[in-house]
Amino acid sequence: MSSSAAWLMLVIAGLLDVGWAISMKYAEGYTRAGWSFASLVLLAAFVVLLGRALKVLEVGVAYSVWTGIGAAGTFVMGVMLFGETLSAMKLAGIALVLMGIVALKLA
């Protein structure tokens, strides 16, 4: 597998992580069957893609990028879907996470 394919899988795994986190919220403690099933499917999908990406990418970089995508994406979706609070400090924190992802990709 090429490095580009591994990075693509990593980014998709990060986006699936966002979907997983949001589906867990909708699953309401795994009491709603449809959302619970979706959550488990998304979990399996991102674990498989992350594992495949790790065949090529360094584990420290890949894991950091994956969690950063998940954290930033889940933050944005929480604001958009659930009306979670947005502040200058939170935006600054997410900006730092995103800058870290870019720095790791360029390193």
Side-chain angles (χ1 to χ4, degrees):
M1 169 186 348
S2 70
S3 177
S4 296
W7 276 100
L8 178 61
M9 285 185 191
L10 182 63
V11 169
I12 293 169
L15 296 173
L16 290 172
D17 183 35
V18 175
W20 171 66
I22 298 304
S23 69
M24 281 197 309
K25 176 78 170 170
Y26 282 125
E28 296 178 3
Y30 288 98
T31 60
R32 297 176 67 195
W35 283 108
S36 297
F37 179 75
S39 174
L40 295 174
V41 169
L42 289 165
L43 172 65
F46 83 64
V47 167
V48 167
L49 289 176
L50 178 60
R52 300 258 342 252
L54 288 174
K55 292 173 109 177
V56 174
L57 303 175
E58 296 174 352
V59 68
V61 170
Y63 186 77
S64 299
V65 168
W66 170 71
T67 57
I69 292 169
T74 303
F75 171 78
V76 169
M77 294 305 291
V79 169
M80 291 173 53
L81 295 174
F82 307 116
E84 295 176 359
T85 60
L86 187 61
S87 68
M89 187 62 87
K90 287 181 180 180
L91 285 173
I94 291 301
L96 289 171
V97 169
L98 294 173
M99 286 189 289
I101 290 170
V102 171
L104 287 169
K105 171 62 173 117
L106 296 175

